[in-house]
Amino acid sequence: MEKTDVEEESGTPPLPPPPTIPTNVKPEKMAPPKRSVISRRGVGTDGRRISLLTNHFRVSMNVIDAMFYQYSVCITSEDKRVVDGKGIGRKVIDRLYLTYSSELDGKKFAYDGEKSLYTVGPLPQNNFEFTVVVDELLARSANGSPGANGSPSGNGKRTKRSFQSKTFKVAISYAAKIPLKSIVLALKGSEADNNAQDALRVLDIVLRQQAATRGCLLVRQSFFHDDSRHFTDVGGGVTGCRGFHSSFRTTQGGLSLNMDVSTTMILTPGPVIDFLLANQNIRDPRYINWEKAKRMLKNMRLKTKHSNMEFKITGLSEKPCNQQQFPLKMRNGNDANDEEQTMEITVYEYFTKHRGIELSISAYMPCLNVGKPKRPNYLPLELCSLVSLQRYTKALSTMQRSTLVEKSRQKPLDRIRTVTDAVRNYQHDEDPVLSACGISIDRQLTQVDGRVLEAPKLKVGNSEDCIPRNGRWNFNHKKLLTPVKIERWAVVNFSARCDTSHLSRELINCGRNKGILIERPYNLIEEDPQSRRASPIARVENMFDLVREKLPGPPEFLLCVLPEKKNSELYGPWKRKSLSEFGIVTQCISPTKINDQYLTNVLLKINTKLGGTNSLLAIEHTSRIPLIKDTPTMILGMDVSHGSPGQADVPSIAAVVGSRCWPLISRYRASVRTQSPKVEMIDALYKPLANGNDDGMIRELLVDFFQTSNGRKPTQIVIFRDGVSESQFNQVLNIELEQIIKAYQHLGEVDFPKFTVIVAQKNHHTKLFQDGAPENVPPGTVVDTKIVHPRNYDFYMCAHAGMIGTSRPAHYHVLLDEIGFSPDDLQHLIHSLSYVYQRSTTAISIVAPVCYAHLAAQQMGQFIKFEDLSETSSGKTSITIEETVPVPELPRLHENVQGSMFFC
């Protein structure tokens, strides 16, 4: 994050200077990685042709021989300490350019805000050292606020010097040359090193610098203006701020600028008191929880109403404003020779009597402390307002998220208009650095050809065919393919307002229509009113005591009615108890209205969890899937879920789901583990123990495949990996895949299977639009030309029907394909895997195994209350590698439910 005068930035990492090798180290040539990302093998041809537009803008380069020169920047303060560059860096470098432009031959440069700057062509010399003086506004006449030493005093002592000058030494030294021509080579598909990525990074840094100059908040390659027309209040003192993502990309059609609408969360600017009321969801300041407020306000930036100065909040005063005292130095008369006297005065009295400022609500509230630990500086609450564009990084509540989605979505034509207007208004190519490269940017969206694949036919009950239309189907007047029979079950109600007798009758009736035979429940168990005030864990324990007491034996299924629709504190403890300790399948609901559609959706989940199948692909039903029907093939979905950005010490949850019952590709088993926070590579795929056993995730799934596929071992494995960026592709191939192979070998296998490895990305900024039509692209739309990578094997697919907002296609990258799918066969397989999601009757936006892995990680992550670890976390961890906190392990599933699709 960065604003031009802000102290934090998390942007494009600077290019490092060449490393120095210690004299006692002998350089060794690193072994090249075993596997590298494959290149494209052709394009698909199946499907109906469709003309599309995309939010890529064509970029022309007219000076391809241009050379970027990279220089390292080191900024030191007067006390010889190195300044990290964040926040102050841009101020110093801007001042440097104004002061020493002639020494730099007037050459414009791009500065990354930290430790690197770039020019087109060299500077006059390789090394410079400059002294830069930056003036910072401190106070204006008769302004100020009380500090521990009494200044500013009542006689306006600090009005003599309104500015404080700070002196910095800036060392600039040559680091590297980056040829622009490397981009041209990459566009031809002959990229041999990282030069093209480095050159693209320089171009992106230019975009960041442009935005910083305009006073934007920077979040990586997204830029946000301080413009209330783009603000959306989502409640809780949090505001969605709409801005733009812009980055340069190499594509088959040439260099392009990818421009998209982007949203980040900021603290709602305005009076601090209003923020606290909204954040704590109260109306009266008397009910503010000041402990909570203190934690929330720490490090926020504010501006004072009386002096228009900016401060950072360090805490709250211990006493209310009308009791909190500080020593104020006063003179008896107007003569400068008169002695100073120090008197204790309250903050309230100082502002009302000495400053003549009326305070209407602050008297009985704590003051905001904006000083240092040994030198507090107190401000009455009502004189302070939060500065705009302060990023909010904590996880949003369900309500906040739904409000944001509802208010920020745009229809395709609106998004086209917003993006094209932005490209025209920003005029990126008028930047002097880009001009020196001869770069010009088209103002029109890129036209691209797509194909619409036909939806796969499904099989439902009584071997009926079901043909999806516009990515949707339903079970009206249809039965599930293999419905289960539910004999021993019960309803438990955690004090929700729900007629459980009516609910169970309606569920039985709806089940009968769908082919599920549901007996009457053993019992309808209501929570003891005395338990309501107990902790969630105690409430769950008490409920299971009632279950044991009121049922003749363990049920095969429990329907659990929760009082809250989302984020119920009971959900995690309930799932842990039922799945881990008792091995009972459960379905949690919180119904608002009970109708056929609602109950059908609930029954789809229940049927799947208990081992039934709602529908299958017709080609799956008759074992006719190309390249899979004859060869035992396992499909893996892999995902890692992390804590929100503000939770630095919450373990990440890794989940892998594996297909079972070959030749089916609709049934999966999950294996879930915790791992170190924010680590993306899964580290427990293969986990050898001291006794020689393997406790890894893959072994568990391989054994299950063998047991459910008539004793057949997988000789082909298709891996779908979610959530990794392009920079991590080689790690997926050479670390994770290697672990999977080791797990296979540990089972005594000499020949390991053929692998196809595909990364599925949703977190990207390419959008597709119909050319000449206002609707979203139809489900099944595929693009594998023009806007794809010039060399690598990737394509975009929009499998789902976008009913609201603008659809975001999934971006699939094929890293390895030993199985040898043709482009059409692979695209059909991926498209089909969007239709096997058992929880719904719609095609989903990304393949089902990836969604299942995400669901499994999410659900089992609730087993442990990780939030407790992060109570005092400010979003930055101080733990060093040597003192790494052990990661708490997840409890394993009970053997009764290990093979179930409990996550559905």
Side-chain angles (χ1 to χ4, degrees):
M1 170 188 79
E2 179 203 287
K3 193 181 167 210
T4 46
D5 57 350
V6 180
E7 296 185 357
E8 286 191 10
E9 174 181 352
S10 69
T12 308
L15 297 170
T20 53
I21 299 171
T23 51
N24 61 338
V25 173
K26 185 182 176 185
E28 287 183 24
K29 192 173 180 182
M30 276 184 65
K34 283 186 179 180
R35 299 176 189 84
S36 55
V37 176
I38 64 169
S39 53
R40 186 180 304 281
R41 292 181 177 169
V43 295
T45 56
D46 287 357
R48 168 175 64 86
R49 306 284 160 190
I50 185 171
S51 183
L52 304 170
L53 297 171
T54 180
N55 57 338
H56 285 236
F57 297 83
R58 189 168 170 275
V59 178
S60 304
M61 293 185 295
N62 298 324
V63 188
I64 59 171
D65 290 331
M67 183 72 72
F68 289 122
Y69 281 70
Q70 178 189 347
Y71 294 86
S72 297
V73 177
C74 181
I75 304 173
T76 50
S77 55
E78 288 170 287
D79 56 3
K80 303 282 192 295
R81 281 193 305 178
V82 174
V83 177
D84 65 5
K86 294 181 182 179
I88 195 68
R90 288 199 192 275
K91 281 184 184 176
V92 172
I93 298 300
D94 287 348
R95 172 60 62 182
L96 181 148
Y97 187 80
L98 291 172
T99 312
Y100 299 105
S101 176
S102 56
E103 282 88 335
L104 302 171
D105 276 1
K107 192 174 281 292
K108 295 282 188 180
F109 50 71
Y111 174 54
D112 71 350
E114 296 188 20
K115 295 182 178 176
S116 297
L117 63 81
Y118 306 86
T119 60
V120 178
L123 292 173
Q125 56 197 63
N126 281 351
N127 295 289
F128 293 92
E129 205 164 276
F130 297 114
T131 300
V132 179
V133 178
V134 177
D135 293 328
E136 284 199 337
L137 181 63
L138 269 189
R140 293 175 183 159
S141 180
N143 282 348
S145 57
N149 63 353
S151 66
S153 60
N155 63 5
K157 260 179 149 183
R158 284 171 65 178
T159 60
K160 292 176 186 172
R161 197 171 76 168
S162 297
F163 289 88
Q164 174 177 305
S165 296
K166 286 188 177 178
T167 303
F168 298 91
K169 285 267 193 294
V170 182
I172 296 175
S173 54
Y174 167 76
K177 279 197 276 192
I178 303 164
L180 190 64
K181 191 181 283 183
S182 59
I183 293 177
V184 179
L185 295 174
L187 292 171
K188 291 177 180 172
S190 57
E191 182 180 4
D193 56 272
N194 290 325
N195 271 350
Q197 286 304 315
D198 293 345
L200 285 174
R201 193 179 295 138
V202 177
L203 296 180
D204 285 345
I205 285 167
V206 175
L207 300 181
R208 285 174 58 79
Q209 178 169 279
Q210 282 183 332
T213 306
R214 294 189 182 105
C216 292
L217 165 70
L218 308 189
V219 184
R220 292 177 290 280
Q221 282 304 124
S222 294
F223 320 125
F224 304 93
H225 288 273
D226 187 7
D227 184 345
S228 58
R229 291 174 300 175
H230 298 151
F231 290 177
T232 300
D233 184 7
V234 299
V238 182
T239 290
C241 178
R242 198 177 78 190
F244 296 96
H245 165 93
S246 60
S247 62
F248 289 98
R249 299 188 67 82
T250 49
T251 68
Q252 258 186 19
L255 186 64
S256 71
L257 177 73
N258 180 204
M259 191 85 171
D260 192 22
V261 177
S262 182
T263 302
T264 194
M265 308 315 299
I266 60 171
L267 299 164
T268 304
V272 173
I273 189 71
D274 291 354
F275 169 79
L276 291 176
L277 294 176
N279 181 250
Q280 300 190 13
N281 195 24
I282 52 177
R283 291 184 178 179
D284 191 331
R286 288 178 299 176
Y287 301 119
I288 291 175
N289 178 333
W290 291 106
E291 263 311 306
K292 188 177 173 184
K294 183 178 179 180
R295 286 198 305 270
M296 194 71 205
L297 292 172
K298 192 172 172 65
N299 294 327
M300 288 185 191
R301 297 187 336 277
L302 61 81
K303 189 170 265 189
T304 54
K305 191 193 294 185
H306 62 291
S307 64
N308 204 32
M309 288 173 61
E310 204 172 296
F311 298 94
K312 182 187 273 190
I313 301 172
T314 54
L316 297 177
S317 61
E318 291 178 11
K319 296 176 182 175
C321 186
N322 61 359
Q323 295 176 29
Q324 183 65 52
Q325 294 187 321
F326 72 95
L328 177 67
K329 290 178 182 174
M330 299 279 289
R331 296 191 195 282
N332 287 332
N334 291 326
D335 194 329
N337 296 322
D338 286 341
E339 279 188 29
E340 274 189 338
Q341 286 187 336
T342 301
M343 58 181 284
E344 289 289 324
I345 186 172
T346 65
V347 177
Y348 182 81
E349 189 181 348
Y350 171 81
F351 276 94
T352 52
K353 292 188 177 176
H354 292 262
R355 301 297 302 276
I357 297 171
E358 187 181 337
L359 299 177
S360 55
I361 59 169
S362 298
Y364 300 100
M365 296 182 189
C367 303
L368 294 175
N369 183 4
V370 295
K372 294 188 167 72
K374 292 184 179 176
R375 208 180 139 174
N377 189 356
Y378 298 118
L379 294 168
L381 211 66
E382 68 189 270
L383 298 183
C384 303
S385 288
L386 292 181
V387 172
S388 191
L389 297 185
Q390 297 189 72
R391 199 162 165 228
Y392 178 83
T393 57
K394 293 188 173 148
L396 295 181
S397 68
T398 307
M399 185 67 77
Q400 286 173 323
R401 188 169 292 282
S402 60
T403 304
L404 178 67
V405 169
E406 187 182 328
K407 290 185 177 179
S408 62
R409 59 182 171 227
Q410 287 181 298
K411 290 180 178 175
L413 291 181
D414 292 336
R415 186 165 288 235
I416 288 174
R417 197 177 307 114
T418 304
V419 167
T420 48
D421 286 350
V423 170
R424 287 173 189 147
N425 295 336
Y426 279 117
Q427 299 178 325
H428 288 308
D429 45 13
E430 293 188 6
D431 181 272
V433 177
L434 297 186
S435 297
C437 303
I439 281 179
S440 60
I441 301 168
D442 275 10
R443 304 297 195 255
Q444 298 297 325
L445 296 170
T446 297
Q447 192 277 330
V448 62
D449 293 327
R451 294 171 290 113
V452 182
L453 302 180
E454 191 179 339
K457 193 189 292 181
L458 302 175
K459 280 283 182 190
V460 294
N462 300 328
S463 285
E464 266 188 79
D465 285 342
C466 177
I467 299 169
R469 304 206 181 281
N470 196 31
R472 295 173 169 269
W473 64 99
N474 61 56
F475 280 99
N476 295 345
H477 315 298
K478 296 185 184 77
K479 297 196 184 308
L480 306 184
L481 182 69
T482 53
V484 295
K485 185 177 180 182
I486 306 174
E487 295 177 324
R488 301 188 317 279
W489 73 290
V491 182
V492 300
N493 181 16
F494 280 99
S495 304
R497 291 181 178 175
C498 177
D499 181 346
T500 53
S501 177
H502 171 70
L503 171 66
S504 62
R505 281 197 306 273
E506 290 299 306
L507 191 72
I508 290 167
N509 292 337
C510 186
R512 188 184 306 116
N513 295 334
K514 302 295 177 268
I516 302 177
L517 182 61
I518 308 175
E519 299 291 346
R520 288 181 61 188
Y522 270 171
N523 213 320
L524 307 174
I525 303 171
E526 298 288 334
E527 182 178 31
D528 184 343
Q530 301 297 317
S531 292
R532 286 187 199 182
R533 297 184 183 277
S535 71
I537 291 174
R539 290 175 72 180
V540 168
E541 292 282 355
N542 294 342
M543 183 62 84
F544 265 97
D545 288 344
L546 287 174
V547 168
R548 277 191 293 253
E549 179 188 314
K550 299 197 174 195
L551 301 187
E556 56 188 313
F557 169 67
L558 286 172
L559 183 67
C560 173
V561 185
L562 295 174
E564 297 97 8
K565 196 171 181 66
K566 293 277 186 182
N567 297 334
S568 170
E569 290 191 329
L570 293 161
Y571 182 83
W574 172 260
K575 285 289 183 183
R576 175 175 179 155
K577 194 85 176 166
S578 54
L579 292 174
S580 183
E581 292 185 36
F582 285 90
I584 300 170
V585 170
T586 72
Q587 177 61 49
C588 293
I589 60 172
S590 181
T592 45
K593 60 178 180 180
I594 297 168
N595 55 28
D596 186 70
Q597 181 63 57
Y598 177 80
L599 292 171
T600 299
N601 288 339
V602 170
L603 283 166
L604 291 178
K605 297 181 181 185
I606 294 171
N607 191 54
T608 306
K609 289 176 179 180
L610 289 171
T613 304
N614 303 330
S615 62
L616 286 179
L617 300 165
I619 55 171
E620 183 183 14
H621 190 246
T622 52
S623 302
R624 288 185 290 114
I625 303 173
L627 288 182
I628 289 177
K629 64 181 189 298
D630 301 322
T631 312
T633 304
M634 183 181 193
I635 295 177
L636 297 178
M638 298 166 43
D639 185 34
V640 179
S641 295
H642 306 291
S644 61
Q647 298 176 309
D649 48 6
V650 171
S652 293
I653 312 284
V656 183
V657 300
S659 62
R660 58 206 309 257
C661 309
W662 174 80
L664 297 187
I665 58 171
S666 289
R667 296 209 61 80
Y668 293 84
R669 173 183 174 133
S671 182
V672 186
R673 304 279 196 279
T674 49
Q675 60 185 40
S676 300
K678 310 298 181 199
V679 172
E680 185 55 55
M681 289 299 114
I682 301 176
D683 64 10
L685 296 170
Y686 171 62
K687 195 175 179 183
L689 301 176
N691 61 8
N693 292 337
D694 171 18
D695 189 37
M697 304 160 86
I698 295 298
R699 176 194 170 88
E700 183 183 325
L701 300 175
L702 286 170
V703 169
D704 180 72
F705 181 94
F706 178 80
Q707 290 170 345
T708 60
S709 305
N710 298 319
R712 302 293 295 271
K713 300 168 185 173
T715 54
Q716 296 180 159
I717 297 181
V718 181
I719 299 169
F720 288 98
R721 179 65 161 93
D722 184 33
V724 292
S725 61
E726 289 181 42
S727 62
Q728 296 167 313
F729 286 177
N730 276 320
Q731 289 175 275
V732 172
L733 284 179
N734 293 292
I735 297 175
E736 290 186 338
L737 184 54
E738 197 60 33
Q739 282 194 67
I740 292 170
I741 290 169
K742 283 180 179 172
Y744 202 83
Q745 290 171 326
H746 190 273
L747 288 165
E749 299 300 312
V750 180
D751 299 323
F752 47 80
K754 291 179 178 176
F755 290 95
T756 291
V757 181
I758 301 160
V759 168
Q761 290 179 337
K762 283 288 283 179
N763 193 16
H764 61 85
H765 287 278
T766 294
K767 300 288 190 298
L768 301 173
F769 309 95
Q770 289 201 60
D771 191 355
E775 302 88 13
N776 272 308
V777 296
T781 298
V782 179
V783 173
D784 58 2
T785 59
K786 204 162 184 179
I787 57 167
V788 293
H789 195 280
R791 174 190 171 277
N792 296 352
Y793 186 1
D794 67 325
F795 57 90
Y796 294 92
M797 181 181 288
C798 201
H800 65 298
M803 308 307 285
I804 49 177
T806 302
S807 297
R808 179 185 299 189
H811 192 184
Y812 292 101
H813 302 258
V814 185
L815 308 189
L816 183 69
D817 183 24
E818 295 172 343
I819 297 173
F821 288 97
S822 71
D824 280 323
D825 282 346
L826 188 60
Q827 287 169 12
H828 279 300
L829 174 64
I830 287 173
H831 187 220
S832 297
L833 282 169
S834 298
Y835 281 81
V836 303
Y837 190 58
Q838 299 292 305
R839 279 164 55 110
S840 72
T841 54
T842 59
I844 53 176
S845 60
I846 206 153
V847 290
V850 161
C851 284
Y852 287 148
H854 187 70
L855 286 171
Q858 221 173 20
Q859 188 168 131
M860 287 192 69
Q862 300 276 337
F863 282 18
I864 300 178
K865 186 79 170 157
F866 292 128
E867 291 77 21
D868 297 345
L869 298 170
S870 220
E871 265 302 298
T872 56
S873 173
S874 62
K876 294 186 183 68
T877 180
S878 58
I879 298 167
T880 62
I881 292 168
E882 289 77 19
E883 54 179 359
T884 303
V885 172
V887 177
E889 281 199 22
L890 284 173
R892 299 292 168 93
L893 294 171
H894 192 282
E895 61 181 0
N896 290 358
V897 294
Q898 278 177 347
S900 74
M901 291 176 71
F902 68 89
F903 43 81
C904 259

